[in-house]
Amino acid sequence: MKMEEARRRDIFFSFFMFTADLRPNDAGYTQVLVRHLKALTEIGYTGFDVHIAPGPAHVGHHAEVESYISLKRAFDQAGFRDVKFTTNVGTTRTFDPTSPYEEQRKQALSYLKSRVDITSVLGGEDTIMSGPFLYPYGIFPLTDAGEGIWSDALQDWMKPRYAAAASIFRELAQYSAEKRVKLAIEPVKNWETPGPTMVSEALDFLESADIPVCGVTIDTAQVVMESQGPAIFRKNVARAAQQNRLNYVHISAPDRGAVRDSWIPWEIMLDEIEPVYSGPYLVEVFNAIPPFESSMRMTRRRFWRPGEDAPEAGVDSAYDVAQAALRTLEEKIASHRRRSHR
């Protein structure tokens, strides 16, 4: 199969390579983003995933949405009207849909609805809002004595949190469906969040809470690092597909760096995903930039960002890494298709 045939699949690129904050009110930075969009579309990417950072405490959600309307207008004027966008969203200690306090859960619902609005502004109809937006990212519970809660005690602690979030997510899912935005809860590693850390946990929540119009993200890095093995992976992909919940697939190396020549079990994953998934693949590379370099304890060198960092001898540029990842994924898709047609 020719490489051009593999490109019928939309392949997006994550802006985690460049930033965790689009700074929509910063016109100068918008031009930096535009330069990256131009370079990456020329490489061959058909869309992009962008993180929607929590806004300043004094700025209301309506003002945040308006700022992204202006940002999208700038992208359109720069020639990217037809480029597709998805978003990455996380909840926070303040905006916590699992909180035991009703008022806080209502604040979280308002926050998440505003993120659906922003996703709709950037991506239009049938786009995707993905990320760890169930339990607050990076927040771990403590006992009254200040000690961590782990293992069985943590699982027991999480049960009422999931139950508290159920009604919030039912309303959020209905709202996102009206906006034609697909929700995709992303399980992340156990050192990033206490839950959900596995695809099965996210699916369990959606099933038990009776939320039919919300799905999950499967991330290759998360599955490799925080998984129950290939057999459960196969069951989870089939389970998500049968329930129409497989809403997004992220292609990411276990070290969250370069995808080329990484420890991704391509055949195991693509053999299960390709037959049942028709959405975009997202190439996700976390660069060694704030806040990732500290939050993820990164020891590897930064991929230098053209136009933002000085070139460094012997270190790949962000564009080189992006191009190699695209070619690798295209080759792996083509290889899967050849195998499946034998």
mmCIF file of all heavy atoms in Angstrom, residues 229-252:
data_model
loop_
_atom_site.group_PDB
_atom_site.id
_atom_site.type_symbol
_atom_site.label_atom_id
_atom_site.label_comp_id
_atom_site.label_asym_id
_atom_site.label_seq_id
_atom_site.Cartn_x
_atom_site.Cartn_y
_atom_site.Cartn_z
ATOM 1 N N GLY A 229 -2.011 -5.255 30.590
ATOM 2 C CA GLY A 229 -1.475 -6.199 29.626
ATOM 3 C C GLY A 229 -2.263 -6.242 28.333
ATOM 4 O O GLY A 229 -3.357 -5.690 28.222
ATOM 5 N N PRO A 230 -1.704 -6.921 27.312
ATOM 6 C CA PRO A 230 -2.321 -6.956 25.983
ATOM 7 C C PRO A 230 -3.729 -7.535 25.969
ATOM 8 O O PRO A 230 -4.584 -7.062 25.209
ATOM 9 C CB PRO A 230 -1.351 -7.821 25.172
ATOM 10 C CG PRO A 230 -0.038 -7.691 25.870
ATOM 11 C CD PRO A 230 -0.376 -7.567 27.319
ATOM 12 N N ALA A 231 -4.003 -8.550 26.772
ATOM 13 C CA ALA A 231 -5.336 -9.169 26.744
ATOM 14 C C ALA A 231 -6.404 -8.178 27.199
ATOM 15 O O ALA A 231 -7.465 -8.056 26.568
ATOM 16 C CB ALA A 231 -5.358 -10.417 27.624
ATOM 17 N N ILE A 232 -6.125 -7.455 28.290
ATOM 18 C CA ILE A 232 -7.089 -6.463 28.775
ATOM 19 C C ILE A 232 -7.181 -5.297 27.803
ATOM 20 O O ILE A 232 -8.262 -4.738 27.586
ATOM 21 C CB ILE A 232 -6.703 -5.975 30.181
ATOM 22 C CG1 ILE A 232 -6.720 -7.133 31.168
ATOM 23 C CG2 ILE A 232 -7.636 -4.862 30.650
ATOM 24 C CD1 ILE A 232 -8.074 -7.800 31.331
ATOM 25 N N PHE A 233 -6.054 -4.929 27.186
ATOM 26 C CA PHE A 233 -6.085 -3.869 26.181
ATOM 27 C C PHE A 233 -7.044 -4.232 25.057
ATOM 28 O O PHE A 233 -7.883 -3.419 24.643
ATOM 29 C CB PHE A 233 -4.677 -3.631 25.619
ATOM 30 C CG PHE A 233 -4.643 -2.716 24.424
ATOM 31 C CD1 PHE A 233 -4.812 -1.351 24.575
ATOM 32 C CD2 PHE A 233 -4.468 -3.233 23.146
ATOM 33 C CE1 PHE A 233 -4.797 -0.511 23.476
ATOM 34 C CE2 PHE A 233 -4.443 -2.402 22.040
ATOM 35 C CZ PHE A 233 -4.609 -1.028 22.209
ATOM 36 N N ARG A 234 -6.942 -5.463 24.560
ATOM 37 C CA ARG A 234 -7.837 -5.895 23.487
ATOM 38 C C ARG A 234 -9.298 -5.836 23.929
ATOM 39 O O ARG A 234 -10.177 -5.378 23.185
ATOM 40 C CB ARG A 234 -7.460 -7.310 23.043
ATOM 41 C CG ARG A 234 -6.091 -7.399 22.376
ATOM 42 C CD ARG A 234 -5.815 -8.805 21.867
ATOM 43 N NE ARG A 234 -4.517 -8.879 21.214
ATOM 44 C CZ ARG A 234 -3.411 -9.340 21.800
ATOM 45 N NH1 ARG A 234 -3.471 -9.778 23.049
ATOM 46 N NH2 ARG A 234 -2.266 -9.364 21.159
ATOM 47 N N LYS A 235 -9.559 -6.279 25.151
ATOM 48 C CA LYS A 235 -10.932 -6.243 25.664
ATOM 49 C C LYS A 235 -11.440 -4.807 25.796
ATOM 50 O O LYS A 235 -12.598 -4.515 25.489
ATOM 51 C CB LYS A 235 -11.003 -6.953 27.017
ATOM 52 C CG LYS A 235 -10.833 -8.460 26.936
ATOM 53 C CD LYS A 235 -10.909 -9.099 28.322
ATOM 54 C CE LYS A 235 -10.731 -10.604 28.246
ATOM 55 N NZ LYS A 235 -10.772 -11.241 29.596
ATOM 56 N N ASN A 236 -10.572 -3.904 26.249
ATOM 57 C CA ASN A 236 -10.990 -2.518 26.439
ATOM 58 C C ASN A 236 -11.269 -1.817 25.116
ATOM 59 O O ASN A 236 -12.220 -1.033 25.006
ATOM 60 C CB ASN A 236 -9.926 -1.745 27.224
ATOM 61 C CG ASN A 236 -9.953 -2.052 28.708
ATOM 62 O OD1 ASN A 236 -10.977 -2.490 29.240
ATOM 63 N ND2 ASN A 236 -8.843 -1.839 29.379
ATOM 64 N N VAL A 237 -10.439 -2.077 24.115
ATOM 65 C CA VAL A 237 -10.694 -1.479 22.802
ATOM 66 C C VAL A 237 -12.027 -1.980 22.261
ATOM 67 O O VAL A 237 -12.857 -1.203 21.773
ATOM 68 C CB VAL A 237 -9.546 -1.808 21.815
ATOM 69 C CG1 VAL A 237 -9.923 -1.355 20.405
ATOM 70 C CG2 VAL A 237 -8.253 -1.131 22.253
ATOM 71 N N ALA A 238 -12.239 -3.284 22.350
ATOM 72 C CA ALA A 238 -13.501 -3.851 21.858
ATOM 73 C C ALA A 238 -14.690 -3.317 22.648
ATOM 74 O O ALA A 238 -15.732 -2.973 22.070
ATOM 75 C CB ALA A 238 -13.451 -5.375 21.952
ATOM 76 N N ARG A 239 -14.527 -3.224 23.955
ATOM 77 C CA ARG A 239 -15.604 -2.713 24.820
ATOM 78 C C ARG A 239 -15.939 -1.268 24.472
ATOM 79 O O ARG A 239 -17.111 -0.902 24.336
ATOM 80 C CB ARG A 239 -15.142 -2.834 26.270
ATOM 81 C CG ARG A 239 -16.107 -2.336 27.328
ATOM 82 C CD ARG A 239 -15.437 -2.505 28.685
ATOM 83 N NE ARG A 239 -16.179 -1.900 29.757
ATOM 84 C CZ ARG A 239 -15.690 -1.713 30.986
ATOM 85 N NH1 ARG A 239 -14.450 -2.092 31.275
ATOM 86 N NH2 ARG A 239 -16.432 -1.147 31.925
ATOM 87 N N ALA A 240 -14.912 -0.442 24.315
ATOM 88 C CA ALA A 240 -15.147 0.958 23.969
ATOM 89 C C ALA A 240 -15.786 1.087 22.595
ATOM 90 O O ALA A 240 -16.710 1.885 22.389
ATOM 91 C CB ALA A 240 -13.834 1.736 24.014
ATOM 92 N N ALA A 241 -15.320 0.301 21.646
ATOM 93 C CA ALA A 241 -15.863 0.370 20.288
ATOM 94 C C ALA A 241 -17.317 -0.093 20.251
ATOM 95 O O ALA A 241 -18.160 0.536 19.594
ATOM 96 C CB ALA A 241 -15.010 -0.469 19.342
ATOM 97 N N GLN A 242 -17.619 -1.170 20.937
ATOM 98 C CA GLN A 242 -18.990 -1.689 20.944
ATOM 99 C C GLN A 242 -19.974 -0.685 21.535
ATOM 100 O O GLN A 242 -21.136 -0.626 21.130
ATOM 101 C CB GLN A 242 -19.036 -3.005 21.724
ATOM 102 C CG GLN A 242 -18.373 -4.169 21.006
ATOM 103 C CD GLN A 242 -18.122 -5.344 21.922
ATOM 104 O OE1 GLN A 242 -18.475 -5.341 23.101
ATOM 105 N NE2 GLN A 242 -17.477 -6.378 21.375
ATOM 106 N N GLN A 243 -19.509 0.113 22.485
ATOM 107 C CA GLN A 243 -20.364 1.099 23.137
ATOM 108 C C GLN A 243 -20.276 2.476 22.467
ATOM 109 O O GLN A 243 -20.838 3.447 22.980
ATOM 110 C CB GLN A 243 -19.982 1.230 24.615
ATOM 111 C CG GLN A 243 -20.160 -0.048 25.403
ATOM 112 C CD GLN A 243 -19.701 0.106 26.846
ATOM 113 O OE1 GLN A 243 -19.483 1.211 27.335
ATOM 114 N NE2 GLN A 243 -19.554 -1.007 27.542
ATOM 115 N N ASN A 244 -19.554 2.555 21.352
ATOM 116 C CA ASN A 244 -19.359 3.829 20.649
ATOM 117 C C ASN A 244 -18.696 4.858 21.555
ATOM 118 O O ASN A 244 -19.053 6.042 21.543
ATOM 119 C CB ASN A 244 -20.692 4.369 20.119
ATOM 120 C CG ASN A 244 -20.497 5.401 19.016
ATOM 121 O OD1 ASN A 244 -19.523 5.354 18.269
ATOM 122 N ND2 ASN A 244 -21.415 6.356 18.924
ATOM 123 N N ARG A 245 -17.715 4.410 22.320
ATOM 124 C CA ARG A 245 -17.013 5.300 23.254
ATOM 125 C C ARG A 245 -15.541 5.520 22.888
ATOM 126 O O ARG A 245 -14.840 6.225 23.603
ATOM 127 C CB ARG A 245 -17.071 4.733 24.668
ATOM 128 C CG ARG A 245 -18.467 4.632 25.280
ATOM 129 C CD ARG A 245 -18.344 4.343 26.767
ATOM 130 N NE ARG A 245 -19.593 3.935 27.380
ATOM 131 C CZ ARG A 245 -20.525 4.782 27.825
ATOM 132 N NH1 ARG A 245 -20.350 6.084 27.692
ATOM 133 N NH2 ARG A 245 -21.624 4.318 28.400
ATOM 134 N N LEU A 246 -15.056 4.913 21.815
ATOM 135 C CA LEU A 246 -13.655 5.116 21.429
ATOM 136 C C LEU A 246 -13.583 6.415 20.621
ATOM 137 O O LEU A 246 -13.691 6.420 19.397
ATOM 138 C CB LEU A 246 -13.140 3.929 20.616
ATOM 139 C CG LEU A 246 -11.662 3.977 20.214
ATOM 140 C CD1 LEU A 246 -10.763 4.257 21.416
ATOM 141 C CD2 LEU A 246 -11.257 2.680 19.535
ATOM 142 N N ASN A 247 -13.376 7.519 21.324
ATOM 143 C CA ASN A 247 -13.502 8.832 20.706
ATOM 144 C C ASN A 247 -12.189 9.458 20.264
ATOM 145 O O ASN A 247 -12.194 10.389 19.457
ATOM 146 C CB ASN A 247 -14.218 9.790 21.662
ATOM 147 C CG ASN A 247 -15.708 9.547 21.707
ATOM 148 O OD1 ASN A 247 -16.235 8.727 20.948
ATOM 149 N ND2 ASN A 247 -16.406 10.244 22.598
ATOM 150 N N TYR A 248 -11.047 8.987 20.789
ATOM 151 C CA TYR A 248 -9.781 9.592 20.386
ATOM 152 C C TYR A 248 -8.667 8.595 20.664
ATOM 153 O O TYR A 248 -8.746 7.799 21.610
ATOM 154 C CB TYR A 248 -9.521 10.871 21.175
ATOM 155 C CG TYR A 248 -8.765 11.962 20.432
ATOM 156 C CD1 TYR A 248 -8.332 11.796 19.117
ATOM 157 C CD2 TYR A 248 -8.488 13.179 21.048
ATOM 158 C CE1 TYR A 248 -7.662 12.803 18.447
ATOM 159 C CE2 TYR A 248 -7.809 14.200 20.389
ATOM 160 C CZ TYR A 248 -7.393 14.007 19.093
ATOM 161 O OH TYR A 248 -6.714 15.009 18.426
ATOM 162 N N VAL A 249 -7.625 8.645 19.837
ATOM 163 C CA VAL A 249 -6.439 7.805 20.028
ATOM 164 C C VAL A 249 -5.202 8.690 19.943
ATOM 165 O O VAL A 249 -5.001 9.395 18.947
ATOM 166 C CB VAL A 249 -6.359 6.673 18.980
ATOM 167 C CG1 VAL A 249 -5.053 5.906 19.128
ATOM 168 C CG2 VAL A 249 -7.556 5.725 19.128
ATOM 169 N N HIS A 250 -4.397 8.654 20.997
ATOM 170 C CA HIS A 250 -3.149 9.411 21.050
ATOM 171 C C HIS A 250 -1.975 8.473 20.807
ATOM 172 O O HIS A 250 -1.896 7.402 21.426
ATOM 173 C CB HIS A 250 -2.972 10.072 22.415
ATOM 174 C CG HIS A 250 -3.951 11.164 22.697
ATOM 175 N ND1 HIS A 250 -3.904 11.929 23.850
ATOM 176 C CD2 HIS A 250 -4.999 11.635 21.972
ATOM 177 C CE1 HIS A 250 -4.892 12.811 23.832
ATOM 178 N NE2 HIS A 250 -5.565 12.655 22.702
ATOM 179 N N ILE A 251 -1.092 8.867 19.936
ATOM 180 C CA ILE A 251 0.134 8.122 19.669
ATOM 181 C C ILE A 251 1.272 8.837 20.380
ATOM 182 O O ILE A 251 1.675 9.940 19.994
ATOM 183 C CB ILE A 251 0.411 8.028 18.158
ATOM 184 C CG1 ILE A 251 -0.782 7.422 17.410
ATOM 185 C CG2 ILE A 251 1.690 7.244 17.904
ATOM 186 C CD1 ILE A 251 -1.136 6.009 17.809
ATOM 187 N N SER A 252 1.773 8.228 21.434
ATOM 188 C CA SER A 252 2.781 8.881 22.258
ATOM 189 C C SER A 252 3.771 7.857 22.769
ATOM 190 O O SER A 252 3.389 6.746 23.161
ATOM 191 C CB SER A 252 2.110 9.594 23.443
ATOM 192 O OG SER A 252 3.028 10.406 24.142
#
